[in-house]
Amino acid sequence: MAAATPPGPILVTAPRYRLPPTPPAYPPRAVEFGLTGTVVVRARVTPDGSTEETRLWRSSGHALLDAAALAAVRRWAFEPASVEGRRVEAWVEVPVHFRLN
């Protein structure tokens, strides 16, 4: 009998962080043009907590903000996801907000 194929990474939409995430740097050109928006980024986090990959999941509509969000999320330290007490690989989905005051 063949072994069951392990399921792919789960999706976590309420991530936990090993360290508080540092807000993204607001690109000066985006400030100059008054650009605002929300970028949704997905990060693939391994069972040991390493971020292996980041993907733009939903664009803000502004390439400057999208790039800044991806750069910020790459630096964030996530807690690994767990299922039934066992650490598993997961996609972590995080919104990154850009608002001017």
Side-chain angles (χ1 to χ4, degrees):
M1 183 170 207
T5 303
I10 64 171
L11 176 62
V12 175
T13 56
R16 295 178 326 194
Y17 301 92
R18 286 186 280 168
L19 300 170
T22 303
Y26 215 121
R29 297 282 291 170
V31 173
E32 181 181 330
F33 292 121
L35 303 180
T36 63
T38 298
V39 182
V40 178
V41 176
R42 283 192 178 177
R44 188 168 51 86
V45 179
T46 64
D48 71 1
S50 302
T51 299
E52 290 290 313
E53 179 181 358
T54 55
R55 291 184 183 175
L56 177 64
W57 193 250
R58 190 168 52 237
S59 173
S60 65
H62 306 290
L64 289 169
L65 300 181
D66 296 347
L70 284 165
V73 173
R74 283 186 193 107
R75 293 188 304 269
W76 293 354
F78 297 97
E79 284 288 334
S82 63
V83 174
E84 297 177 359
R86 189 175 55 88
R87 291 179 171 192
V88 297
E89 183 176 49
W91 283 102
V92 175
E93 185 173 281
V94 290
V96 180
H97 305 286
F98 291 90
R99 303 279 182 264
L100 294 170
N101 295 333

